[in-house]
Amino acid sequence: MNLSADQTVEILRATGEPTRLRILSLLAAEELSVMELSRVLDQSQPRVSRHLKLMADAGLIERFPDGARVYYRLSHDAQARRLTDTVLDILADDEGEADHRRLEEVRSERAADAARYFEQVAPQWDQMRSLYVCETDVEKAVEQAAGPGPFDRVVDLGTGSGRMLTLLGKKAKMSVGLDLSQNMLNIARANVTKAGLDKVELRHGDIFSTRLPAESADLVIVHQVLHYLNDPVAAVSEAARLVAPGGRLLIVDFAPHNFEQLREEHQHRRLGFADEEIADWLEQSGLQAADPIILPPDREGLTVHIWTGIRAAEHVRKIA
Ligand SMILES: C[S@@+](CC[C@H](N)C(=O)[O-])C[C@H]1O[C@@H](n2cnc3c(N)ncnc32)[C@H](O)[C@@H]1O
């Protein structure tokens, strides 16, 4: 539905200021917290917050709390998005270049911290995983969500020590585990060998650009990885791209929570995900979102959900 004159003026006013244009351009790259925006723009948080409030009130951007932080992203509303895309399209290419360079620095620092963390925790990861939630319950539910198989090809993105591969690999003709951490991959290699699985390929790679062929796996898993990532929607889209017609993508992660210490001590970027948020991402990526499986909370109240996206069997592949 098109906007009224008042709404159009409000949205144009909310766009019509240099810092706000810079913010839109940054949010077009990824969702960002007030703290991150303030750092990239080199402006105080209250100042950035004022701009953000104005743009959120006009419907240009969406605000979502995540634990003690507040994140922003571009609005999903089609008209607001059309305006943002048009404005960003007519801006000269070099406008905002310095902002995007600083954003890249912030990203690289974050990625380096996370990489160091995973290299360090790799030897203890199998014990650490079970400290969070009841592994047996989660794994039973993952097997149920995956279906009985057999699978032609299972892809486990952010495989870590390879637990999902050892859980599901026996039902697969072949499986691929991908991870950025060499230490994790070494442990995964030892674990899959111990489990007697020989049709497993372990690859060093990035979830944002897996280099795996489109629609090549009947089961794709992203287990306890999404909350570490700076651009979870891009990771879901890449994971969905791999799903073959009739196949499924399982995302296993936490529901929204307030355990800020996971951010400070364990490199979590997002404190869980809402069901609607993941369902939107799955649908935007061309999959049908099934009802999530909700596991019982642990003693502390941390809850794991399993979200399933299904690619229709009759799907016709879009030519890029
Ligand atoms: C918490 S561990 C989970 C491992 C495994 N899925 C499990 O549940 O045991 C997260 C894993 O994601 C990997 N990871 C983080 N960012 C990644 C990225 N951009 N691409 C690929 N793997 C990544 C880390 O190296 C780590 O092994």
Side-chain angles (χ1 to χ4, degrees):
M1 205 170 62
N2 283 355
L3 301 178
S4 69
D6 283 351
Q7 286 169 318
T8 309
V9 169
E10 191 189 357
I11 213 168
L12 285 170
R13 278 212 187 102
T15 327
E17 201 275 339
T19 302
R20 288 184 226 138
L21 285 180
R22 292 169 67 192
I23 291 175
L24 284 180
S25 166
L26 289 165
L27 292 182
E30 69 182 54
E31 58 186 34
L32 289 165
S33 67
V34 183
M35 203 172 75
E36 290 165 331
L37 277 167
S38 140
R39 209 178 137 200
V40 172
L41 296 165
D42 198 20
Q43 295 190 11
S44 71
Q45 287 194 34
R47 198 163 162 188
V48 171
S49 294
R50 273 198 299 279
H51 286 300
L52 289 167
K53 178 169 185 332
L54 217 138
M55 292 196 287
D57 288 348
L60 269 178
I61 59 175
E62 288 166 6
R63 171 188 196 278
F64 63 100
D66 183 68
R69 293 195 187 169
V70 176
Y71 279 83
Y72 286 86
R73 60 180 158 224
L74 292 186
S75 162
H76 275 89
D77 175 78
Q79 304 303 350
R81 203 51 190 263
R82 213 161 85 195
L83 184 110
T84 305
D85 289 347
T86 310
V87 168
L88 294 179
D89 208 37
I90 56 179
L91 265 184
D93 283 347
D94 54 353
E95 281 295 340
E97 228 173 50
D99 288 342
H100 283 273
R101 251 197 322 272
R102 269 193 304 276
L103 176 61
E104 201 41 57
E105 282 165 22
V106 171
R107 269 188 195 150
S108 308
E109 276 172 30
R110 216 161 47 203
D113 287 348
R116 247 190 320 273
Y117 170 81
F118 285 119
E119 294 300 342
Q120 270 167 16
V121 301
Q124 300 94 38
W125 180 250
D126 280 331
Q127 292 93 319
M128 282 177 72
R129 192 190 319 101
S130 56
L131 290 180
Y132 285 145
V133 284
C134 174
E135 258 193 292
T136 330
D137 287 356
V138 174
E139 294 185 355
K140 229 166 44 200
V142 166
E143 285 190 284
Q144 191 194 328
F151 306 106
D152 283 333
R153 190 174 163 100
V154 171
V155 172
D156 183 25
L157 299 174
T159 191
S161 55
R163 179 59 196 142
M164 290 297 113
L165 296 173
T166 54
L167 182 71
L168 296 160
K170 286 197 176 78
K171 295 181 192 165
K173 284 195 195 135
M174 86 94 47
S175 337
V176 179
L178 180 128
D179 206 284
L180 266 186
S181 157
Q182 291 289 8
N183 276 357
M184 285 286 195
L185 286 169
N186 289 339
I187 290 164
R189 254 173 222 118
N191 284 341
V192 297
T193 307
K194 206 157 76 189
L197 297 170
D198 54 358
K199 294 279 185 293
V200 179
E201 214 181 277
L202 285 154
R203 291 194 187 186
H204 182 247
D206 194 339
I207 197 169
F208 295 112
S209 142
T210 61
R211 295 164 191 267
L212 296 169
E215 299 180 11
S216 58
D218 41 2
L219 180 61
V220 179
I221 310 167
V222 182
H223 181 263
Q224 295 293 7
V225 180
L226 218 56
H227 58 251
Y228 294 104
L229 305 177
N230 56 358
D231 196 355
V233 62
V236 171
S237 156
E238 174 62 4
R241 186 184 69 80
L242 307 180
V243 178
R248 56 186 64 191
L249 163 62
L250 304 187
I251 298 173
V252 187
D253 219 298
F254 296 118
H257 61 82
N258 285 309
F259 293 89
E260 283 292 331
Q261 72 273 22
L262 291 179
R263 186 137 50 200
E264 269 114 49
E265 293 161 22
H266 296 283
Q267 294 294 328
H268 290 210
R269 178 166 191 263
R270 287 285 309 273
L271 299 187
F273 299 93
D275 292 340
E276 311 76 58
E277 185 176 31
I278 301 273
D280 270 0
W281 295 346
L282 291 172
E283 302 272 348
Q284 278 168 41
S285 307
L287 305 184
Q288 292 157 4
D291 287 341
I293 297 176
I294 300 170
L295 284 120
D298 75 345
R299 263 175 295 131
E300 319 263 356
L302 213 50
T303 307
V304 169
H305 287 200
I306 301 176
W307 296 279
T308 303
I310 300 165
R311 166 120 30 235
E314 293 304 312
H315 152 82
V316 179
R317 193 164 145 195
K318 276 191 213 147
I319 309 288

